[in-house]
Amino acid sequence: MSYLNTLFFGIYPYVALIVLFVGTWARYDHGQFTWKAHSSQMLRKKNMVLASVLFHVGVLVIFFGHLVGLLMPHALYEPFMTPGTKQVLAIVVGGIAGVFAIIGGGMLAWRRMTDPRVRASSTFADNMVIIILVVQLALGLLTILPTLGHLDGATMLKFSAWAQGIFTLQGTDVANYITDVHWIYKTHIFLGLTLFVLFPFTRLVHMLSVPVEYFGRKYQVVRKRA
């Protein structure tokens, strides 16, 4: 079990990050025409806007919450709040955002699987990614249950130490920080790392595209057909 813990949480994170960065760079360099969201809004707009807004707002809040929560050193927020307060804040904000995201994601997944036009235009990767995202969101919400049993923030500090140790290249030793945490946390982390692996090969790459030039481009004249 110690070996598996080291493999999944000490070695796999580096494999996932290498695939993420190298794969994303390679796709942008060699396959820019595939770098798009593959939106299906034109095929069927019903319930699309509501589902998309709920999903994207929820996911963005969760993403930046994880980014700040895991990678911000404890010394920076210690003067303002205790680890327990930060954990409660994460439960409340993350819980609300998670509910929004899983409702929106569930609606998008149902639409993609049941709408004939959308299903016909979907690839295996499209279907796989939306299902994995919904499962990951569900696991994230489930982590609230064991978290409510220890609101002192100690477990959250373990995850922060693990994440910061990975990014500071402390090697496989950081896997020991989360050896004894609940299996729901470990499954959530493993699936999150797997999303990093899948990122360069799916429509998820559109997250990196911000249409800044759109706001400064010249007006385009579009004429109706005679």
Side-chain angles (χ1 to χ4, degrees):
M1 292 300 293
S2 177
Y3 170 76
L4 291 177
N5 189 75
T6 301
L7 175 65
F8 290 146
F9 306 110
I11 298 175
Y12 187 48
Y14 293 108
V15 175
L17 289 172
I18 290 172
V19 173
L20 171 67
F21 289 113
V22 176
T24 302
W25 171 80
R27 181 171 178 182
Y28 184 79
D29 191 50
H30 298 286
Q32 291 190 20
F33 288 108
T34 68
W35 192 288
K36 52 188 176 180
H38 298 279
S39 176
S40 59
Q41 185 172 350
M42 294 182 64
L43 300 176
R44 189 80 67 193
K45 194 173 181 179
K46 184 178 180 182
N47 296 328
M48 170 72 177
V49 176
L50 175 62
S52 183
V53 169
L54 286 174
F55 176 73
H56 285 89
V57 169
V59 165
L60 284 174
V61 172
I62 292 170
F63 174 78
F64 286 107
H66 279 65
L67 191 67
V68 174
L70 291 174
L71 299 182
M72 178 183 288
H74 174 60
L76 292 181
Y77 65 84
E78 186 177 19
F80 310 102
M81 66 175 73
T82 65
T85 302
K86 182 183 177 184
Q87 184 163 300
V88 172
L89 183 64
I91 291 174
V92 174
V93 177
I96 294 173
V99 170
F100 282 1
I102 200 169
I103 291 175
M107 292 171 66
L108 292 174
W110 178 258
R111 173 178 175 273
R112 188 164 294 279
M113 299 298 174
T114 60
D115 189 290
R117 298 183 68 190
V118 178
R119 188 173 65 248
S121 67
S122 300
T123 65
F124 172 78
D126 295 335
N127 297 331
M128 175 185 64
V129 164
I130 190 64
I131 291 173
I132 290 177
L133 286 171
V134 171
V135 172
Q136 178 69 336
L137 289 167
L139 285 170
L141 289 174
L142 286 175
T143 61
I144 294 177
L145 298 178
T147 302
L148 291 175
H150 44 79
L151 296 176
D152 57 354
T155 302
M156 182 196 65
L157 290 177
K158 291 181 180 180
F159 292 131
S160 296
W162 170 78
Q164 292 166 30
I166 291 295
F167 279 96
T168 53
L169 304 179
Q170 294 182 26
T172 57
D173 292 340
V174 296
N176 296 327
Y177 290 129
I178 57 174
T179 301
D180 57 348
V181 299
H182 199 283
W183 66 267
I184 294 180
Y185 295 123
K186 291 187 176 183
T187 307
H188 184 58
I189 294 173
F190 178 79
L191 195 56
L193 293 171
T194 302
L195 283 170
F196 285 173
V197 175
L198 298 174
F199 185 92
F201 312 105
T202 63
R203 65 170 59 199
L204 291 174
V205 294
H206 82 278
M207 293 171 56
L208 302 178
S209 300
V210 181
V212 177
E213 295 180 358
Y214 174 84
F215 298 99
R217 75 177 186 179
K218 296 181 180 180
Y219 287 105
Q220 294 180 335
V221 178
V222 180
R223 294 182 175 90
K224 294 182 179 180
R225 290 184 178 181

